[in-house]
Amino acid sequence: MARAAEALIDLPALAHNLRRAREAMPGSRVMAVVKANGYGHGVERVAGALRSADAFAVACLDEAEQLRESGFAHPINVLEGFYDVEELRRFSRHHVDATIHQPEQIEALERTRIDRPLKVWLKIDTGMHRLGVAPEQARALWERLNACSAVGGIGLMTHLANADNRNDPTTERQLLAFTGAIGHLHGERSIANSAGILGWPAASGDWIRSGIMLYGASPFCDSTAAEERLRPVMTLQTGLIAIRDLAAGERLGYGGTWCSDKPSRIGVAAIGYGDGYPRHAPSGTSVLVEGQRAPLVGRVSMDMITIDLTELPEAKIGDRVVLWGAGLPAEEVARQAGTIPYELFCQVTRRVKFREHSGSSP
Ligand SMILES: *Cc1c(COP(=O)(O)O)cnc(C)c1O
């Protein structure tokens, strides 16, 4: 019997979520963010299902080259830009756009001869303080880019730090800072990530950069995908491989962190942190056994988890166990495990079999 852990990828859900992004900001073109192997979903299948996006965005050049090798001819923005002149030449060769976030990159553009000028996105730091040039420098740097023969077009972008909280005033401040910094500079504007797209109408622009929402998870700390009218894309599932009875007062698993307070029926499911299920998911984290909720109990081990089936007497070996996805929001599991859906998705390992399916109707 093949090991059961698999990730079902609902391709129509990806297309649905892309339509949801367009519907939220109808005047904007969509850069579909497919970095980190399509947020762990498999970049080729994701990009294929999101073929109607206007562009892709990735974190680094390797990811862009992979898309080119797979035959995608879309504009691709590399969100961290290039690191050196050698990389810059590869950007030009593969016709890849670069985010420019520090003056060293502009110097590289100024002293390098390349065959094909690059489209660049000048990124302005409006409060995230990770990447980006200071607002006061924006105009001078734009002028340098504009005078540079290696540059074929300039967009203007910023990134929102706190848009996942609709009550946080930081976003308004960032929007004001962006408008102030770019003034009347010529170029397309791009501000919104998923939280910006769904929560901050004022963050619309010529381009939006949708990531997590495409994969069907809510970007907000206080809402679910269903409330945002998003459809989950990944369902992580496995099977029950063993069931045992524990007497009251028996400890379970590594470290004996969980102890039965009454006679209990424990199911063992074939998935663990070796598959990307989070090891720090505590006892009480929800799983679905044939569609019914049951709590994880005891420590997550590399290949297995243990589930309290005492309330599900009909559960049997071979039953389907869903860790997140259809019927069990990844947001909920992430919250219980002290993380975010982004991390759950990205951590699914190569041992898990990925299978595409055409999903249920919306
Ligand atoms: C990852 C990323 C995004 C997408 O963010 P989501 O929250 O997943 O929508 C957008 N812009 C930049 C600069 C990013 O790094």
Side-chain angles (χ1 to χ4, degrees):
M1 187 179 81
R3 199 163 182 284
E6 54 180 16
L8 303 180
I9 305 297
D10 182 345
L11 297 177
L14 278 163
H16 166 89
N17 297 333
L18 175 60
R19 286 195 296 275
R20 181 74 185 90
R22 291 199 189 281
E23 171 195 294
M25 291 194 161
S28 305
R29 276 182 282 173
V30 181
M31 229 181 253
V33 184
V34 297
K35 60 195 180 190
N37 193 28
Y39 287 45
H41 291 64
V43 67
E44 281 187 36
R45 67 170 65 87
V46 163
L50 298 174
R51 198 172 283 285
S52 65
D54 304 290
F56 292 118
V58 294
C60 58
L61 179 59
D62 282 352
E63 294 176 335
E65 287 177 344
Q66 195 185 342
L67 284 171
R68 287 285 180 257
E69 276 157 30
S70 308
F72 293 98
H74 299 63
I76 303 174
N77 179 15
V78 174
L79 296 167
E80 293 173 3
F82 47 85
Y83 302 103
D84 55 28
V85 166
E86 189 270 329
E87 268 212 348
L88 167 54
R89 294 209 170 90
R90 280 161 64 201
F91 270 68
S92 171
R93 197 176 321 133
H94 294 285
H95 207 194
V96 170
D97 308 340
T99 296
I100 300 297
H101 53 82
Q102 57 190 348
E104 287 79 356
Q105 293 172 309
I106 301 181
E107 281 152 32
L109 283 164
E110 286 168 340
R111 69 186 141 82
T112 310
R113 290 221 168 281
I114 50 178
D115 301 334
R116 188 157 46 182
L118 247 57
K119 159 108 186 238
V120 299
W121 287 92
L122 179 61
K123 182 168 186 176
I124 295 146
D125 174 17
T126 55
M128 174 101 172
H129 300 329
R130 188 181 59 180
L131 291 185
V133 304
E136 313 78 72
Q137 294 183 308
R139 169 169 291 277
L141 295 177
W142 182 92
E143 277 163 7
R144 271 173 70 186
L145 287 170
N146 196 41
C148 180
S149 63
V151 172
I154 312 172
L156 296 156
M157 69 180 263
T158 193
H159 194 41
L160 301 173
N162 295 24
D164 60 330
N165 179 347
R166 292 182 230 240
N167 301 315
D168 191 315
T170 309
T171 302
E172 297 286 358
R173 279 205 295 277
Q174 285 196 262
L175 295 175
L176 278 175
F178 188 58
T179 312
I182 64 176
H184 298 294
L185 293 177
H186 184 72
E188 294 170 332
R189 272 72 167 146
S190 177
I191 305 168
N193 55 2
S194 296
I197 295 165
L198 295 173
W200 299 88
S204 69
D206 300 293
W207 287 87
I208 53 179
R209 305 187 306 274
S210 51
I212 195 72
M213 67 177 293
L214 297 176
Y215 306 94
S218 167
F220 299 108
C221 38
D222 61 355
S223 76
T224 62
E227 285 162 358
E228 305 299 335
R229 286 185 290 123
L230 299 169
R231 281 166 51 191
V233 172
M234 178 194 293
T235 296
L236 185 67
Q237 65 175 28
T238 187
L240 273 185
I241 57 167
I243 295 184
R244 61 186 308 123
D245 292 311
L246 287 190
E250 294 204 277
R251 295 188 170 278
L252 176 64
Y254 285 119
T257 57
W258 184 83
C259 182
S260 55
D261 58 359
K262 57 179 188 303
S264 301
R265 193 158 172 263
I266 301 298
V268 181
I271 196 156
Y273 63 81
D275 303 286
Y277 190 80
R279 182 178 175 278
H280 44 270
S283 286
T285 301
S286 302
V287 304
L288 293 182
V289 179
E290 290 296 325
Q292 307 225 59
R293 268 168 203 261
L296 175 91
V297 286
R299 239 178 226 166
V300 171
S301 42
M302 188 183 292
D303 314 305
M304 286 171 267
I305 58 170
T306 39
I307 303 166
D308 187 355
L309 298 176
T310 312
E311 305 297 321
L312 299 179
E314 68 287 4
K316 58 186 186 308
I317 290 172
D319 276 1
R320 185 167 104 112
V321 178
V322 169
L323 292 315
W324 60 71
L328 182 59
E331 295 91 316
E332 179 184 332
V333 177
R335 204 171 307 120
Q336 289 173 311
T339 184
I340 51 177
Y342 300 73
E343 193 187 27
L344 293 184
F345 297 155
C346 284
Q347 284 187 344
V348 174
T349 66
R350 286 183 352 178
R351 184 163 72 180
V352 173
K353 288 209 173 55
F354 279 71
R355 215 148 50 77
E356 296 163 12
H357 74 113
S358 54
S360 50
S361 42

